[in-house]
Amino acid sequence: MSEIWVLWPLIFTSIAGPLSKGDNAHVADSNSEMLKLSKNITKRESCDEGLYREHGFCCQPCPPGKRKNDGCKIDGGEPECVLCAEGEEYTDKNHHSYNCRRCRVCDGEHGLEVEKNCTRTQNTKCRCKPNFFCNVSLCEHCNPCTTCEHGIIEKCTPTSNTKCREAFQSTGSRSNLHSLWALLILIPISALIYREVKRRRRNRKNGHQKSIASNTEMMPVNLTDIDLVKHIISIAEQMKITEVKEFVRKNGMEETKIDEIKHDNPQDTAEQKVQLLRNWYQSHGKKDAYCTLIKSLRKAKLHALAEKIQDIVQKDITSEHENANLQNENESLA
């Protein structure tokens, strides 16, 4: 009987051993199946290089010059692509976007001009205008070339400024000094002679017309009642595009309207200035418009510009009064 008790542990061990190995093998097989399933899911969620996933499909990109309008319908299929607007938009590489890029505008106010026009596959290429230069790789604006007073060492190029000769650098510095003094003396003398000749010519004109002109010059100008419609083009010619934008922006014009005018005249800053001033004047009205313009320019410390515009408007008003008086005089004589 004691021998049987001794054999029980051996019998238990021989039975439990195979059972334990079977359980471990089952666990290992389950782990292997889970790993394979995970790999298959990951493979289905990613796309091959160059493709992109949209609506459950791996799609090809749109080529340069086009934009995506709708996605593909099968794996590896081509999406619906449409052309970019010629001269306005472009794409220069394969892409998956629904939008084209806006073409660059070469701003003449910043010394730029078009070297190559924008196409559907290439952006606008700008360069500096003659007598302007830019010495950085990504040029947003060009600077005017320096004008030399004492001679040029190297001429201005689109990528470098003029190199000037320093004053009295040549061997004839003393003679240059004498010439400079002579020039400084002659300039004011010539100016006095010119003014005297001009004065005498004015005196030869009809005395009655001279009297009318002097009276109209002294006539006060009612700033609130000046109609700027006929002066807008002349005013725009005196102002830079940045000055016009700043003025209309500070005096009530919405940014969307400014962008719309720029979009309608993308490469014509002169027309942009006229349209911006014209639209502002239409919304503001005649009353106090001229006064608002002059005060705004002075507030922006553009005193010289304000005086120049005042001179232009004053001369036009004086000329109108002269013509009106002459017309009345002719009618009375008739």
Side-chain angles (χ1 to χ4, degrees):
M1 189 69 177
S2 61
E3 293 176 356
I4 294 173
W5 285 107
V6 171
L7 292 174
W8 269 114
L10 295 175
I11 295 169
F12 180 78
T13 302
S14 62
I15 294 172
L19 289 175
S20 178
K21 289 180 180 178
D23 290 342
N24 289 337
H26 180 69
V27 172
D29 289 342
S30 297
N31 290 338
S32 177
E33 298 241 350
M34 290 294 289
L35 182 60
K36 287 179 180 179
L37 181 60
S38 176
K39 287 182 177 179
N40 290 335
I41 292 171
T42 303
K43 186 175 182 180
R44 287 197 300 269
E45 289 180 351
S46 63
C47 294
D48 294 339
E49 185 176 356
L51 303 181
Y52 69 100
R53 178 165 292 280
E54 184 176 18
H55 305 310
F57 299 112
C58 291
C59 300
Q60 296 184 22
C62 284
K66 295 184 177 182
R67 64 173 178 82
K68 187 170 64 176
N69 192 49
D70 196 6
C72 67
K73 307 302 181 185
I74 59 172
D75 272 329
E78 295 182 357
E80 179 187 343
C81 301
V82 294
L83 291 170
C84 300
E86 180 68 34
E88 298 178 6
E89 301 174 330
Y90 77 100
T91 54
D92 56 358
K93 58 183 69 174
N94 292 341
H95 66 101
H96 315 298
S97 175
Y98 282 91
N99 298 309
C100 298
R101 295 183 176 182
R102 293 285 301 169
C103 292
R104 182 186 180 188
V105 176
C106 304
D107 193 345
E109 287 289 332
H110 291 164
L112 294 167
E113 66 179 8
V114 176
E115 182 176 354
K116 287 186 180 179
N117 289 321
C118 186
T119 66
R120 288 191 178 101
T121 58
Q122 180 178 303
N123 195 8
T124 312
K125 187 175 181 181
C126 302
R127 67 185 176 194
C128 293
K129 297 194 297 187
N131 299 321
F132 283 80
F133 77 98
C134 180
N135 54 8
V136 296
S137 56
L138 297 175
C139 187
E140 293 296 330
H141 73 277
C142 300
N143 299 310
C145 298
T146 301
T147 302
C148 300
E149 297 182 4
H150 307 287
I152 297 173
I153 298 175
E154 290 184 13
K155 291 183 178 180
C156 185
T157 70
T159 57
S160 63
N161 195 10
T162 317
K163 288 187 179 180
C164 299
R165 191 182 301 278
E166 294 182 4
F168 316 122
Q169 187 173 356
S170 63
T171 54
S173 59
R174 184 170 296 178
S175 62
N176 289 338
L177 181 60
H178 292 160
S179 299
L180 180 61
W181 278 110
L183 186 63
L184 291 174
I185 294 171
L186 285 173
I187 287 175
I189 293 175
S190 300
L192 289 173
I193 294 172
Y194 174 75
R195 290 176 63 184
E196 180 64 20
V197 171
K198 196 172 181 180
R199 186 184 66 80
R200 290 184 180 182
R201 285 180 180 175
R202 282 201 304 267
N203 290 339
R204 291 195 191 101
K205 292 183 179 180
N206 187 287
H208 184 63
Q209 291 183 358
K210 181 180 177 181
S211 169
I212 293 173
S214 62
N215 289 335
T216 54
E217 286 176 2
M218 296 176 64
M219 190 178 298
V221 179
N222 187 352
L223 299 182
T224 61
D225 296 330
I226 294 178
D227 187 1
L228 293 182
V229 170
K230 49 195 166 186
H231 304 297
I232 282 178
I233 294 178
S234 300
I235 293 170
E237 290 174 350
Q238 305 301 320
M239 300 177 70
K240 296 178 181 178
I241 185 65
T242 51
E243 295 168 345
V244 174
K245 286 181 179 178
E246 188 67 15
F247 165 72
V248 298
R249 187 179 288 116
K250 287 185 176 180
N251 286 276
M253 184 175 287
E254 295 182 357
E255 200 68 34
T256 53
K257 187 64 178 177
I258 297 174
D259 291 338
E260 179 185 334
I261 292 173
K262 182 179 179 181
H263 178 76
D264 292 341
N265 306 276
Q267 297 182 1
D268 191 350
T269 53
E271 184 63 21
Q272 288 180 31
K273 292 188 289 185
V274 172
Q275 292 300 328
L276 286 168
L277 289 173
R278 191 167 285 160
N279 274 269
W280 169 80
Y281 185 56
Q282 288 172 353
S283 62
H284 182 280
K286 178 179 177 181
K287 184 175 178 59
D288 292 329
Y290 178 67
C291 187
T292 300
L293 174 63
I294 299 303
K295 286 182 178 179
S296 296
L297 293 177
R298 287 176 176 166
K299 190 175 181 180
K301 301 189 182 302
L302 298 173
H303 300 288
L305 177 59
E307 291 178 5
K308 190 179 290 185
I309 291 174
Q310 281 182 296
D311 289 342
I312 291 172
V313 175
Q314 180 68 55
K315 286 178 182 177
D316 288 346
I317 293 173
T318 301
S319 178
E320 288 177 3
H321 283 300
E322 288 180 2
N323 293 334
N325 288 333
L326 287 173
Q327 185 176 356
N328 292 334
E329 184 178 321
N330 291 334
E331 289 176 355
S332 63
L333 290 174

